[in-house]
């Protein structure tokens, strides 16, 4: 079943909706979630390294996803930066 993404209005796959709902339930600070052929991407914009980025990584690991890449951008704000995380569910 597909549903609409609340932030963008785009259609979400079942897996993206599950991840999106799980992140919201666990108060993870993120901007967007999307997928491409079973790979999940999560974008964090100008998040604190500990409260946004580390929290996201811990929650996703507990949810059964493995971090396979991280692309950091907007780094000129000290402990606050932006990054896109790439995850794969191994189970």
């Amino acid at each position: 079943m597909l549903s609409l993404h609340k932030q963008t209005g785009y259609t979400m796959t079942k897996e993206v909706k599950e991840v999106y709902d799980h992140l919201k339930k666990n108060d993870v600070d993120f901007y967007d979630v999307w997928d491409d052929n079973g790979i999940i991407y999560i974008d964090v914009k100008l998040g604190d390294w500990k409260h946004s980025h580390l929290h996201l990584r811990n929650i996703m690991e507990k949810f059964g996803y493995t971090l396979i890449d991280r692309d950091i951008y907007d780094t000129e704000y000290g402990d606050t930066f932006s990054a896109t995380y790439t995850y794969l569910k191994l189970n």
Side-chain angles (χ1 to χ4, degrees):
M1 177 180 147
L2 299 176
S3 60
L4 288 181
H5 190 280
K6 292 178 184 176
Q7 290 179 12
T8 63
Y10 292 113
T11 303
M12 290 192 290
T13 63
K14 180 182 176 199
E15 185 176 18
V16 169
K17 178 157 179 29
E18 288 173 357
V19 170
Y20 180 91
D21 290 345
H22 188 72
L23 295 177
K24 284 292 191 184
K25 181 177 98 176
N26 287 282
D27 296 320
V28 175
D29 177 24
F30 68 99
Y31 179 74
D32 202 2
V33 179
W34 68 95
D35 72 335
D36 185 15
N37 294 320
I39 298 173
I40 297 290
Y41 298 90
I42 302 171
D43 195 41
V44 176
K45 289 197 187 278
L46 297 177
D48 176 76
W49 76 268
K50 184 176 184 181
H51 299 104
S52 300
H53 297 276
L54 187 58
H55 184 55
L56 167 67
R57 292 175 71 168
N58 289 335
I59 291 298
M60 287 300 287
E61 183 178 310
K62 289 177 185 174
F63 198 45
Y65 284 82
T66 299
L67 179 65
I68 58 175
D69 194 21
R70 179 177 73 163
D71 180 28
I72 297 174
Y73 61 99
D74 280 346
T75 59
E76 54 190 80
Y77 302 100
D79 287 346
T80 301
F81 62 95
S82 299
T84 301
Y85 291 85
T86 307
Y87 285 95
L88 185 61
K89 189 156 193 164
L90 296 179
N91 299 0

